[in-house]
Amino acid sequence: MPQQTFDVTGLHCQSCVRAITEALTSLAGVNAVAVDLRADGASAVRIDTQSELTVEQVQAAISEEGDYSVQS
C-alpha cells in the first residue's frame, strides 16, 4: 500500500484538519490520512492508498472544503 505526502496550504486549526481528512478519506482507495498541521505554512498530508493519487484528485477533494491548496 503506497503512502503519498502532499504539502497543503490553508490549514489553520484542527477543524481544517478534520475537514480535509474526511474529504480525502472518502476518495476511493484511501485507507488512512494523517496531517502534520503547520498553521504558518504548508502542512504535510500523508495518505495511505491502494493506488497512487494525482495532485489534481487531492486538490479537487479538498477544494470543496475550504480555501486549501496543494503545493506542487
Side-chain angles (χ1 to χ4, degrees):
M1 158 174 29
Q3 184 179 78
Q4 295 176 265
T5 302
F6 297 90
D7 291 329
V8 178
T9 59
L11 285 78
H12 302 288
C13 63
Q14 288 302 317
S15 179
C16 296
V17 170
R18 277 191 299 277
I20 68 159
T21 298
E22 290 175 12
L24 292 170
T25 303
S26 71
L27 293 176
V30 173
N31 298 314
V33 175
V35 179
D36 294 330
L37 178 63
R38 294 186 196 112
D40 60 344
S43 298
V45 178
R46 293 183 314 280
I47 305 172
D48 289 330
T49 64
Q50 294 174 3
S51 59
E52 296 286 322
L53 296 173
T54 65
V55 170
E56 291 79 14
Q57 288 173 302
V58 174
Q59 182 64 57
I62 66 175
S63 65
E64 295 179 8
E65 302 302 321
D67 192 22
Y68 307 120
S69 181
V70 178
Q71 303 299 294
S72 49

